């Protein structure tokens, strides 16, 4: 009788219709597959039961988070070949991707699935890992309560953990790598400086920082540009950390950090608004409301800098589905939109879009640095959160780095102005003077 790894390899290749580009190591110590390839370690048959119960990304994610699946060797290489195998399968001769139901009509696939069930052992499957956020009704997405719960799931996991991953800057968004010798800290500082210059911040101005995180943009704007800042976040832990940083900098007279939904901000007008890595949480159904609320909070001539991850457009936009792993473990209820859709909604709200800068490659560099930080202090990270939570962050950041590198997703800074009826935008005649 064949050992577990060879049996699993044969079954997988029958199910996928192609050779496996990874080497398998099974729970019995056996190995099969290309000797020089990254090794996919299947530590327990429980992983197979998860895949049978939830074929595809969510089943794989549950097995990974539970520690039943692992990668030995280059994680990026393994994810790259796995993406081509599972998430980016080529369409059939008719240009269609087979659904699971369609695939199971194939007698060979059905036979392979039956063999996998025998190898997996008795059902039912294990319960989902504790780190998974249970699926809420999609009928009530992006209410103030559901947004607060989603934000808490991602951000309230411990400031010490985020310090380990992000480094001293505590900036959880794409850095701006202006020179080959830049460090993560200098690149994050350059990003904050770039945002401030695009907004034209000057002493005496009033800035609203939507989704202020741990206070880095608010502190930079107040300290370096002399503005008064209100920062809002839904995370209690972020707010407590940001307030302490503000106090340590001696900026309590110029920076106020609130635990507040952006929809509840009523003390405008502001001269400028920064929204850095927050709009991905808004949701397509609420995006025009988001844009309109920010428009109403600005003075005439005021500027908005909207820094947001975007996805590639689809031929049928109604077919867009939220990534299962990201939704369950990372950013619950987060949605990505094409940059053209985002710009269009900002314009519908009344903004004049004046500049768009795509910085996709910058995010790949940032994510790889965060992964290095996490891996360098892996044992400590697992103690600060949990082994499963640390595994979630390592997988999502590495996979996201590849997605930015392969142009599956991007990140864009849109500079928009609340241009008054006179047409006097206050913008310089020559674009990109901030560079």
């Amino acid at each position: 009788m064949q050992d577990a790894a060879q049996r699993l390899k044969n079954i997988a290749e029958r199910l996928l219709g192609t050779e496996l580009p990874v080497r398998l190591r099974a729970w019995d110590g056996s190995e099969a597959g290309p000797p020089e390839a990254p090794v996919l370690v299947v530590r327990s048959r429980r992983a197979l039961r998860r895949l049978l119960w939830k074929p595809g990304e969510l089943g794989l994610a549950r097995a990974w988070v539970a520690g039943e699946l692992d990668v030995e060797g280059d994680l990026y290489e393994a994810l790259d070949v796995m993406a081509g195998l599972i998430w980016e399968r080529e369409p059939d001769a008719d240009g269609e991707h087979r659904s699971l139901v369609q695939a199971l009509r194939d007698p060979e696939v059905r036979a392979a699935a039956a063999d996998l069930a025998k190898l997996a052992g008795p059902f039912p499957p294990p319960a989902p890992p504790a780190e998974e956020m249970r699926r809420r009704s999609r009928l009530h997405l992006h209410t103030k309560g559901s947004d607060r719960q989603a934000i808490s799931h991602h951000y309230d996991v411990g400031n010490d953990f985020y310090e380990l991953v992000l480094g001293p800057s505590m900036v959880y968004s794409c850095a701006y790598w202006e020179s080959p010798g830049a460090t993560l800290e200098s690149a994050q500082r350059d990003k904050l400086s770039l945002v401030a210059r695009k907004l034209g911040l000057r002493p005496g101005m009033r800035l609203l920082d939507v989704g202020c995180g741990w206070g880095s943009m608010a502190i930079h704007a107040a300290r370096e540009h002399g503005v008064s800042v209100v920062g809002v976040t839904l995370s209690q832990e972020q707010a407590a950390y940001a307030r302490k940083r503000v106090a340590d900098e001696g900026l309590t007279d110029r920076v106020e950090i609130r635990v507040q939904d952006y929809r509840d901000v009523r003390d405008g007008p502001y001269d400028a608004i920064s929204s850095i890595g927050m709009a991905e949480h808004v949701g397509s159904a609420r995006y025009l409301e988001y844009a309109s609320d920010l428009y109403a909070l600005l003075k005439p001539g005021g500027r908005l800098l909207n820094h947001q991850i975007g996805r590639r457009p689809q031929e049928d936009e109604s077919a867009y589905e939220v990534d299962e792993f990201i939704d369950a473990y990372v950013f619950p209820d987060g949605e990505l939109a094409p940059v053209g859709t985002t710009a269009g909604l900002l314009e519908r709200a009344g903004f004049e879009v004046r500049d768009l800068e795509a910085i996709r490659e910058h995010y790949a560099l940032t994510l790889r640095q965060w992964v290095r930080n996490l891996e360098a202090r892996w044992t400590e990270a697992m103690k600060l959160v949990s082994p499963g939570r640390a595994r979630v962050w390592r997988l999502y950041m590495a996979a996201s780095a590849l997605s930015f590198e392969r142009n599956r997703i991007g990140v864009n800074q849109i500079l928009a102005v609340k241009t008054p009826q006179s047409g006097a935008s206050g913008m310089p005649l020559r674009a990109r003077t901030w560079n």
Side-chain angles (χ1 to χ4, degrees), residues 375-404:
E375 291 177 341
R377 298 170 65 184
W378 181 250
T379 301
E380 183 181 352
M382 290 192 292
K383 291 177 181 177
L384 287 172
V385 281
S386 69
R389 182 73 65 191
R391 291 172 65 81
V392 166
W393 256 246
R394 181 172 180 244
L395 177 61
Y396 112 76
M397 292 192 299
S400 296
L402 288 173
S403 292
F404 283 106

Side-chain angles (χ1 to χ4, degrees), residues 110-230:
R110 286 204 307 272
D115 288 344
L116 183 61
K118 292 176 186 176
L119 187 59
F123 273 68
E131 291 80 7
E132 181 172 319
M133 187 165 180
R134 304 300 185 259
R135 181 68 267 155
R136 290 81 57 219
S137 168
R138 300 202 77 86
L139 297 176
H140 302 289
L141 290 185
H142 301 296
T143 63
K144 292 178 184 178
S146 69
D147 280 355
R148 188 164 52 248
Q149 182 185 18
I151 293 298
S152 179
H153 174 85
H154 186 77
Y155 293 103
D156 291 339
V157 299
N159 292 327
D160 289 346
F161 176 74
Y162 277 103
E163 283 183 338
L164 183 152
V165 174
L166 304 180
S169 72
M170 289 299 280
V171 179
Y172 193 25
S173 55
C174 175
Y176 198 71
W177 302 82
E178 292 195 301
S179 64
T183 64
L184 177 62
E185 291 308 304
S186 68
Q188 290 292 15
R189 185 171 58 249
D190 288 342
K191 189 270 299 296
L192 298 177
S193 179
L194 177 67
V195 170
R197 294 198 304 275
K198 287 182 176 182
L199 289 172
L201 297 184
R202 300 184 304 279
M205 292 178 70
R206 196 162 178 247
L207 170 70
L208 174 64
D209 187 26
V210 181
C212 65
W214 292 272
S216 298
M217 180 64 204
I219 290 169
H220 176 88
R223 185 182 60 211
E224 304 299 330
H225 299 275
V227 303
S228 297
V229 188
V230 171

Side-chain angles (χ1 to χ4, degrees), residues 280 308-312 336-339 404 408-412:
E280 297 89 340
Q308 182 176 345
I309 298 171
R311 60 175 172 84
R312 302 292 299 168
L336 301 183
V339 64
F404 283 106
R408 298 171 197 143
I409 53 177
V411 62
N412 308 281

Side-chain angles (χ1 to χ4, degrees), residues 18 21 78-90 408:
T18 186
L79 289 174
D80 216 13
V81 297
M82 292 282 285
L85 193 65
I86 298 171
W87 295 283
E88 300 167 10
R89 300 296 304 279
E90 292 297 322
R408 298 171 197 143

